[in-house]
Amino acid sequence: MKLSYKILAIFCASLALTSCKDVLDKTDLTSTSGVLIYNDSTLTQMNLDYVYDQNLPTGIPTLGPGSPSVTSLTDESFGESKLLEGTLLVNEVGDFGTSLDVKNNYGKIRVINMFLSDTKAGNLPPYTKNKLRAQAQFFRAWRYFDLVRLYGGVPLVMTPLAAVGVEARDQAFLPRNSTTETFAAIVKDLDSTIASVPGRWSSSADWGRITKGAAAALKGRVLLTAASPQFNPNDEVSRWQTSYDANKQAFDVLTASGYGLHSSFDQLWFQEVNNPEAVFVTGYNTATGDQTRKNNGYDNATRPSYTGTGGGSNQPSWEMVKAFPMLDGKKPGESTKYAYTDQLFFKNRDPRFDKTIAYNGVTWPLNGSNSYKLWTYFVGGKTVEPKATNTGFYTRKAVNPTPAIGDVQFSGTDWIEIRFAEVLLNLAESAVGINKLDEAYTQLKAIRKRAGLEAGTDGLYGLKANMTRAELFSAILYERQIEFAFEGKRFYDLRRWKLIEKTLNGTRRTAVTINLKTTGVPADFANTRDNVSLEQAYTNYFTLEFKPLDTKYSINWKPEYYFFAIPQTAIDNNPKLIQNSTWGGAFDPLK
């Protein structure tokens, strides 16, 4: 309980709240009962806010402290990793947690369980108590979902464990629950959240708090994962039905509460309160003069490094660049209306292309300039950038064009973990699972219509007519690749579909170097280039050179990585833990 009291003391000292004084006046904090704290709604809310701060997603996820961004583990981007090299060792995916640390999953679960226990024991009105507890239950479900999709079933700790003494240690030696039991516990927590929180919060000050729709949407994501081949190798239709029911519930709850697709694919990131697409969101702000400012690290890390303090990360690979459809919705090389060439890769593409990929010569409103042009080409083997992009490209999605150079590290752009577009595609995929193919078409068309693709004479926005179940599954995964590029979804989509080997193994992701020709280029090109059309520049003045990004090895993802090993250090700490069967143990993560 000490953690809660430390938080409380900080709040009281800094805010001088009357309620703090009411509760704690003349009270010895070293012996104060948790119940006393949780009899006060203000103090309880403060402790819940700490739960939010610990557990809200902060951007593209990693596989634990020090691990690479999951975008670098796919064909989206590039990054060296033992996962892709095929040399992962048993202790190297450490999200399981091997010590009591508030930064790992079980440390965060402990704080949540303490909050739930003490709030339950307090004497707040039942409605208030249930609403506060329901939000914490959402985050407990969020933490267990993170664990189950990495490892399979894990020990379900649903109450605070004692922390001191031999007896407490022995009681903490819990065996792993089955994967089925773990999913059931997640769903139970989310159902409690759905029952007790509003569809929308009435005050704008509550923007970002968990809503009924956010809990339903996470439940839909969880059960879609449980229905996917990683957990459902026998394609049991009952699992797809359960997933469909959950995602239909999410769709219905959200639409009833006024959620839907934002009118703009790119601007949806820059509307905060009342953003119809922001279902589960981490709020950031640019407040000054107090301790409440919270900066979005994604923006600053993603924009080119020479534009202030940018980091230039999340650089698209050529494979990601080439994946986008043409303007009629057909894949490059399949469209009969729009011819595709690598030399003019940017021409007549899906409108989401220019809103996601920043490339040499593109007009990219940035640093407060609506006419800013990005140039990444090389002259005589030297880049015209102060620091060259490794792949030839940058990501522009969710990068705020407004801040001036030097201010971008203070971006207040919210991170949207679950968008309404995901709810539609989760529903579409689940519908395919139970052979409701027409419903899948409906959701896919809605996504493509918002993107700005041409409807075509058949009104299918480039989709093939009369697709089979297998073809529709593939079409939905392809749509997710484009719609959610650089949102941290691709790795988990490929993983739950067990498609990483098929997609990546034996390949080397590709970079593009754009070189200025040595002849036929105007001498003043560096001064006049902004006035030259892109098509003219690429046709007459540039050559494209393709190079492998993976220079040390060809990608070699191994099948046992679909369920990572429980770290041996965790097993050494708890003799009741059993290793996964794919790593030499007896635990079956499919049961």
Side-chain angles (χ1 to χ4, degrees):
M1 292 302 302
K2 289 183 178 178
L3 179 59
S4 293
Y5 297 146
K6 287 179 181 177
I7 298 163
L8 177 61
I10 292 169
F11 282 136
C12 289
S14 62
L15 301 179
L17 290 173
T18 301
S19 55
C20 287
K21 295 177 181 178
D22 292 343
V23 174
L24 300 181
D25 188 34
K26 299 180 181 179
T27 302
D28 179 5
L29 285 179
T30 62
S31 60
T32 302
S33 166
V35 174
L36 195 58
I37 305 300
Y38 292 91
N39 287 345
D40 185 279
S41 61
T42 301
L43 303 182
T44 304
Q45 184 67 66
M46 287 177 177
N47 280 275
L48 178 61
D49 289 349
Y50 178 76
V51 171
Y52 270 87
D53 189 64
Q54 270 199 317
N55 292 280
L56 281 170
T58 56
I60 298 172
T62 67
L63 295 180
S67 299
S69 162
V70 294
T71 59
S72 67
L73 301 176
T74 71
D75 47 1
E76 282 185 326
S77 188
F78 166 74
E80 293 180 355
S81 169
K82 291 184 177 182
L83 283 168
L84 298 184
E85 188 178 13
T87 59
L88 187 73
L89 300 177
V90 69
N91 283 325
E92 291 180 335
V93 177
D95 270 21
F96 190 87
T98 56
S99 63
L100 183 57
D101 184 339
V102 293
K103 295 180 181 179
N104 66 37
N105 274 310
Y106 276 108
K108 292 175 181 179
I109 288 169
R110 176 174 175 78
V111 173
I112 293 169
N113 284 339
M114 289 161 57
F115 177 87
L116 290 169
S117 177
D118 286 342
T119 307
K120 184 176 182 180
N123 63 8
L124 292 172
Y127 171 77
T128 301
K129 184 184 296 187
N130 290 341
K131 185 168 62 174
L132 293 166
R133 282 171 49 82
Q135 295 169 70
Q137 286 177 289
F138 174 94
F139 287 112
R140 185 166 65 180
W142 175 246
R143 296 266 65 92
Y144 276 117
F145 178 54
D146 191 34
L147 286 165
V148 75
R149 64 180 175 173
L150 294 178
Y151 303 105
V154 295
L156 291 171
V157 184
M158 309 305 277
T159 57
L161 297 175
V164 179
V166 174
E167 183 178 351
R169 182 201 65 188
D170 293 342
Q171 289 176 350
F173 290 157
L174 297 174
R176 295 175 70 176
N177 289 79
S178 70
T179 300
T180 299
E181 290 169 338
T182 305
F183 273 117
I186 294 167
V187 170
K188 183 178 179 181
D189 267 347
L190 292 173
D191 281 339
S192 293
T193 307
I194 293 167
S196 299
V197 297
R200 277 189 180 273
W201 294 85
S202 57
S203 171
S204 62
D206 289 321
W207 169 249
R209 293 204 180 278
I210 300 306
T211 64
K212 195 181 299 289
L218 180 57
K219 178 182 172 183
R221 182 194 282 187
V222 167
L223 290 173
L224 178 64
T225 300
S228 300
Q230 179 190 5
F231 291 95
N232 184 23
N234 296 322
D235 195 22
E236 297 175 19
V237 176
S238 61
R239 294 200 184 193
W240 287 111
Q241 182 67 56
T242 302
S243 173
Y244 175 82
D245 293 341
N247 282 292
K248 185 63 166 62
Q249 177 190 29
F251 176 86
D252 291 343
V253 167
L254 286 163
T255 52
S257 299
Y259 288 84
L261 290 176
H262 195 284
S263 60
S264 171
F265 172 76
D266 58 330
Q267 293 304 305
L268 70 89
W269 294 95
F270 309 118
Q271 178 181 341
E272 295 194 351
V273 177
N274 295 323
N275 183 340
E277 188 143 351
V279 174
F280 175 26
V281 59
T282 301
Y284 291 94
N285 66 73
T286 56
T288 57
D290 59 38
Q291 73 280 16
T292 63
R293 181 168 66 189
K294 191 171 184 181
N295 304 326
N296 178 350
Y298 165 87
D299 184 314
N300 192 39
T302 302
R303 63 177 61 222
S305 59
Y306 59 85
T307 60
T309 59
S313 61
N314 300 314
Q315 296 175 6
S317 68
W318 174 246
E319 285 73 21
M320 184 70 243
V321 170
K322 198 167 180 177
F324 281 80
M326 305 305 289
L327 186 56
D328 61 357
K330 303 293 185 182
K331 290 183 179 180
E334 296 180 5
S335 172
T336 57
K337 183 176 181 180
Y338 297 110
Y340 171 83
T341 65
D342 287 347
Q343 187 69 29
L344 300 178
F345 60 86
F346 51 84
K347 188 177 178 182
N348 296 321
R349 303 298 292 274
D350 180 330
R352 289 172 293 187
F353 178 87
D354 271 350
K355 297 174 180 180
T356 304
I357 307 296
Y359 53 90
N360 178 60
V362 72
T363 299
W364 180 7
L366 202 61
N367 303 328
S369 170
N370 288 330
S371 58
Y372 182 86
K373 280 205 172 187
L374 179 73
W375 294 104
T376 64
Y377 63 90
F378 282 67
V379 180
K382 295 182 179 181
T383 176
V384 297
E385 296 182 275
K387 180 181 177 182
T389 163
N390 293 322
T391 69
F393 304 97
Y394 291 103
T395 298
R396 61 186 293 181
K397 175 185 280 187
V399 172
N400 193 332
T402 302
I405 291 177
D407 293 335
V408 296
Q409 68 269 36
F410 304 121
S411 172
T413 304
D414 291 348
W415 177 259
I416 307 175
E417 174 61 29
I418 300 180
R419 297 200 273 121
F420 189 79
E422 182 186 343
V423 175
L424 294 186
L425 291 177
N426 290 351
L427 179 59
E429 189 175 332
S430 302
V432 174
I434 58 173
N435 282 302
K436 289 191 172 185
L437 306 188
D438 287 345
E439 188 165 355
Y441 270 100
T442 298
Q443 311 309 337
L444 280 168
K445 288 191 291 183
I447 295 290
R448 290 188 153 214
K449 180 179 180 180
R450 192 272 297 275
L453 289 167
E454 295 173 348
T457 57
D458 57 5
L460 291 177
Y461 295 90
L463 297 169
K464 177 183 174 183
N466 302 313
M467 281 189 273
T468 65
R469 182 174 184 263
E471 287 174 325
L472 263 172
F473 273 139
S474 295
I476 291 166
L477 281 178
Y478 175 58
E479 200 66 33
R480 293 175 70 95
Q481 179 186 12
I482 304 305
E483 178 72 20
F484 303 131
F486 296 95
E487 295 181 40
K489 307 296 188 288
R490 177 71 169 163
F491 172 74
Y492 287 107
D493 282 344
L494 292 176
R495 194 164 178 266
R496 67 185 175 85
W497 271 92
K498 300 183 75 172
L499 288 173
I500 297 181
E501 301 102 312
K502 181 179 178 181
T503 304
L504 295 176
N505 275 11
T507 68
R508 295 175 186 264
R509 291 163 294 184
T510 309
V512 177
T513 300
I514 299 173
N515 294 300
L516 192 67
K517 292 180 179 180
T518 57
T519 59
V521 180
D524 62 346
F525 180 76
N527 298 320
T528 61
R529 61 192 182 186
D530 285 1
N531 299 318
V532 178
S533 73
L534 273 181
E535 187 168 349
Q536 178 186 357
Y538 275 83
T539 300
N540 298 327
Y541 307 139
F542 293 129
T543 61
L544 274 60
E545 181 181 1
F546 300 93
K547 298 178 180 179
L549 284 162
D550 299 283
T551 58
K552 295 182 179 179
Y553 52 81
S554 292
I555 295 174
N556 183 32
W557 172 278
K558 293 185 176 180
E560 55 263 35
Y561 298 169
Y562 288 114
F563 292 103
F564 294 122
I566 300 294
Q568 186 59 44
T569 47
I571 295 175
D572 292 342
N573 287 341
N574 178 1
K576 291 188 178 180
L577 290 178
I578 299 174
Q579 185 59 273
N580 281 329
S581 55
T582 51
W583 289 83
F587 186 89
D588 185 352
L590 293 177
K591 290 186 177 179

